[in-house]
Amino acid sequence: MQEPKLQVGILSAPQIDFALPTPYLMWGNYCGGLVTHHTMACGRQVTVCKEGKVLWNGRQYDELLFEPQDEAADAFELSGVTIGLHFHWERKEDQRFQGALKLIVQDGRLTAINIVRVEAYLTSVISSEMSATASLELLKAHAVISRSWLLAQMQKTKKRTGAPDSTPTCTRSEEELIRWYDHEDHDGFDVCADDHCQRYQGITRASTDIVRQAIAETRGQVLMSCGKICDARFSKCCGGVSEEFRYCWEDTGYSYLSKQRDCPSATPVTQQKTVTGSSDGTSDGKLATTCCPDLIQESEAERWIRTSPDAFCHTTDKKVLSQVLNNYDQETTDFYRWKVEYTQDELARLIRERSGIDYGQIIDLVPVARGTSGRLWKLKIVGTKKTLTIGKELEIRRTLSPSHLYSSAFTIDKEDVSPEGIPGRFLLTGAGWGHGVGLCQIGAAVMGEQGYGYDQILQHYYVGAGIEQLYD
C-alpha cells in the first residue's frame, strides 16, 4: 500500500480569500461541466459563491482546484479560518497549507478543502493537537492513533461513497431526544480541520525536529484489532476512567475502547491482567477491574466525581500540561475536577437558547443513565412547561453551556429552592475534559514523562490492540 492522500475540509463561507505565493496550476469545470479549463494562478485571490457556483475572476465554476508545482515546498494561505468552532476559545486566524486547494459549493456556501498526503497531515495534527515540546514517546503514540483514526474514517467514507448513509444519528420521541455527532456529519471531504475530527492547522504552527522524528519513526504504523484499523479516539482528560464508545456515539462496542482505570495498576505492562483473550492473540477487552469503580451506578458516580482519586491525568504539573495544551487550551485551568454555577434565570435562558425548547423554569436536572466513566449519556430536564430526556454526552454538554461543558461527567446540586419547588441556583460539579474515549492526552503526557514507551502508552489506552505497519 502506498501513502494515501486525504481531503480535509478547512473553511466554509460565502466568500473565501486566499493567497498563492508561487504559481499554482488551476483546474476548473464550467459551462455545465462540459469544458475543463486550466491555467496558472498566483498572488491574492478572491472567490465568491454565486448562483450555486464558484465565482473566480469573472467566471463561474462547478468547482476549482489549485495544485502546487512543488508539493513539498509550495504553500497557500487561507484568510479568516475559524478555530475552536463553538468552543469558549473560538477565534479566526490566517493559516498556511501544503498540498492542493479545492473549492466546492455546499449549502449555498463555499467550502475550502486541502488535499494533502497523510504523513504531512499528521505532522500538522501532532503540532496542532499538543505542544511540540512534548516527549518523543507521547508524540509517537499520538502519531499512531491519529493515523489510525484518520485511515479508519477514510475507509468509512470510501464505503459510503455513492450510497446514502443509513446510520441514524438521532432518535426522537415525546419523552426523549437522543442525538450524537460523528465523522459521518461530513460530506464532500474525509475529515474536518477542527476538534470535531482532529485539530489541523496546516503549517501555520511550525513543527519541530522532535515532531518530525515522531512521524518518521512511526511512518505507516497503525493500531489494529481483529484485522481492522482501530477507530482510535482520544480526548484531553478522561477524569480518571475512560469511557466506552457506545455511550458517546452509535450503540457499537469496540473491545479496544473499553472501561479502563487511568492509573499504573491498570496498565497491561505493570499489574493489569488480561482475563479473557481471543484465538488470534488479541484481548477481547475484558480486564481485571479491581481498582475501577462501577460508575454506571449513580451512587458510585456521585462519590467518584466529588472526590479526586489519583490518576495519570490528575496533575497540575505545568511542564506536563504545556506539552499537551497549546496557548489557547491553557486558558482552561481546571479540568480534572471542575465546577459550574448557574442561577435559575441563567440556566432557563441558556437551555432555551441552546436547545430551541422552552422548558419554562427549570425544576430539576435528573441523571438517567451514565457510561463507564460516569459521563451522563441521558439527562432528564424537568421544567414547568416541558420535561424531556436528552443525550448523548455531547448533546448534554452543548445544551448546558454557552460553548461546551468540559464533560458530561457531573453531579447536580440545587440551592435556594422556593416553597413551590423552583431552585434558585444549580451547581454542577464535574470530572474530565472531553468525551473520555480512548487515549487521555494529559494522562499519556504523564506516562511519557514517567518513562513509558509509546507502545506501552497505546497498550494502556487501547486494550488488546496491536501496532502494525500499513505502508512504508
Side-chain angles (χ1 to χ4, degrees):
M1 177 180 178
Q2 294 183 334
E3 178 188 358
K5 287 185 177 181
L6 72 149
Q7 300 192 38
V8 189
I10 307 294
L11 171 65
S12 176
Q15 174 177 315
I16 293 179
D17 301 348
F18 60 98
L20 305 172
T22 57
Y24 275 59
L25 183 63
M26 189 286 291
W27 299 83
N29 295 330
Y30 64 95
C31 296
L34 299 177
V35 180
T36 298
H37 176 70
H38 60 89
T39 185
M40 299 303 293
C42 188
R44 303 294 308 182
Q45 310 292 328
V46 178
T47 53
V48 178
C49 182
K50 184 177 181 181
E51 299 173 349
K53 304 288 185 180
V54 183
L55 177 64
W56 178 70
N57 283 357
R59 191 187 295 271
Q60 291 181 344
Y61 298 85
D62 293 325
E63 68 176 43
L64 286 176
L65 177 66
F66 297 87
E67 291 185 316
Q69 298 184 84
D70 186 337
E71 197 175 77
D74 295 343
F76 64 89
E77 181 176 290
L78 278 175
S79 301
V81 178
T82 300
I83 63 172
L85 183 65
H86 303 315
F87 283 86
H88 58 284
W89 41 264
E90 180 178 321
R91 66 202 67 185
K92 292 182 181 293
E93 65 179 22
D94 297 342
Q95 294 184 347
R96 297 174 63 238
F97 301 88
Q98 290 180 313
L101 170 64
K102 182 165 78 170
L103 295 162
I104 63 174
V105 176
Q106 290 183 313
D107 300 323
R109 296 162 64 90
L110 296 182
T111 297
I113 298 169
N114 181 203
I115 303 174
V116 63
R117 293 190 182 276
V118 165
E119 300 299 313
Y121 166 84
L122 290 173
T123 302
S124 170
V125 165
I126 303 308
S127 299
S128 301
E129 280 286 349
M130 58 184 62
S131 169
T133 62
S135 69
L136 177 61
E137 296 306 305
L138 171 61
L139 293 172
K140 289 168 69 175
H142 217 296
V144 173
I145 66 170
S146 293
R147 186 182 295 110
S148 302
W149 180 86
L150 171 67
L151 294 175
Q153 300 310 310
M154 290 175 68
Q155 287 184 346
K156 287 183 182 180
T157 300
K158 187 175 181 180
K159 185 181 294 185
R160 289 191 301 119
T161 300
D165 182 20
S166 61
T167 304
T169 58
C170 179
T171 61
R172 187 189 301 264
S173 68
E174 286 296 319
E175 294 79 28
E176 283 192 345
L177 172 60
I178 308 300
R179 178 186 290 139
W180 58 96
Y181 305 81
D182 208 351
H183 160 262
E184 283 79 6
D185 292 346
H186 299 314
D187 187 25
F189 48 87
D190 295 307
V191 294
C192 70
D194 215 65
D195 293 71
H196 177 276
C197 290
Q198 294 188 115
R199 191 180 296 172
Y200 170 68
Q201 295 165 2
I203 56 174
T204 309
R205 282 168 180 77
S207 60
T208 62
D209 289 341
I210 193 171
V211 170
R212 288 188 287 271
Q213 180 184 352
I215 298 296
E217 291 186 4
T218 64
R219 178 180 173 84
Q221 291 183 8
V222 295
L223 282 172
M224 300 284 290
S225 178
C226 299
K228 295 182 179 180
I229 301 174
C230 292
D231 187 347
R233 306 294 170 119
F234 58 90
S235 64
K236 280 286 184 288
C237 175
C238 68
V241 175
S242 57
E243 189 54 81
E244 288 189 9
F245 182 93
R246 72 188 71 191
Y247 297 117
C248 299
W249 299 285
E250 64 265 29
D251 189 16
T252 300
Y254 294 106
S255 62
Y256 52 86
L257 296 177
S258 58
K259 179 170 75 171
Q260 179 77 318
R261 180 76 166 84
D262 193 31
C263 65
S265 62
T267 63
V269 293
T270 55
Q271 300 174 27
Q272 185 66 333
K273 181 181 179 182
T274 301
V275 296
T276 306
S278 62
S279 59
D280 62 358
T282 60
S283 166
D284 70 356
K286 297 179 181 178
L287 299 182
T289 55
T290 54
C291 64
C292 196
D294 183 6
L295 301 184
I296 290 177
Q297 302 300 318
E298 187 61 30
S299 59
E300 286 292 300
E302 284 264 351
R303 181 192 61 79
W304 174 263
I305 293 169
R306 292 182 187 277
T307 56
S308 295
D310 287 338
F312 284 127
C313 59
H314 186 191
T315 181
T316 57
D317 188 325
K318 291 184 178 180
K319 180 181 178 227
V320 171
L321 296 179
S322 68
Q323 295 179 21
V324 176
L325 307 181
N326 280 309
N327 54 349
Y328 39 82
D329 282 335
Q330 292 183 43
E331 295 170 11
T332 301
T333 56
D334 299 319
F335 48 83
Y336 187 71
R337 294 294 183 269
W338 47 266
K339 292 182 184 293
V340 173
E341 184 175 325
Y342 295 117
T343 65
Q344 171 65 232
D345 290 344
E346 288 172 338
L347 185 61
R349 182 175 62 252
L350 176 65
I351 293 176
R352 183 174 62 251
E353 291 174 352
R354 296 292 283 168
S355 69
I357 299 172
D358 185 4
Y359 289 84
Q361 292 182 294
I362 305 301
I363 299 172
D364 206 353
L365 300 175
V366 183
V368 176
R370 294 185 183 269
T372 52
S373 70
R375 283 167 170 79
L376 285 163
W377 71 276
K378 283 189 178 183
L379 174 73
K380 182 185 289 186
I381 302 175
V382 181
T384 54
K385 294 182 178 179
K386 185 176 180 62
T387 295
L388 186 69
T389 296
I390 65 169
K392 295 186 176 180
E393 66 91 28
L394 186 52
E395 183 74 6
I396 294 170
R397 292 165 61 197
R398 286 179 166 179
T399 302
L400 298 183
S401 172
S403 56
H404 294 68
L405 282 179
Y406 296 142
S407 85
S408 66
F410 59 83
T411 62
I412 303 108
D413 290 302
K414 298 176 292 182
E415 299 179 346
D416 303 331
V417 181
S418 72
E420 295 76 27
I422 307 297
R425 290 186 301 163
F426 288 84
L427 178 64
L428 309 184
T429 301
W433 183 0
H435 53 66
V437 178
L439 182 134
C440 170
Q441 289 178 313
I442 293 172
V446 171
M447 292 184 73
E449 283 296 301
Q450 292 181 359
Y452 289 87
Y454 82 104
D455 55 337
Q456 295 174 314
I457 295 173
L458 295 174
Q459 288 170 28
H460 173 60
Y461 289 109
Y462 303 96
V463 180
I467 301 173
E468 296 187 20
Q469 191 83 31
L470 198 63
Y471 57 83
D472 295 325

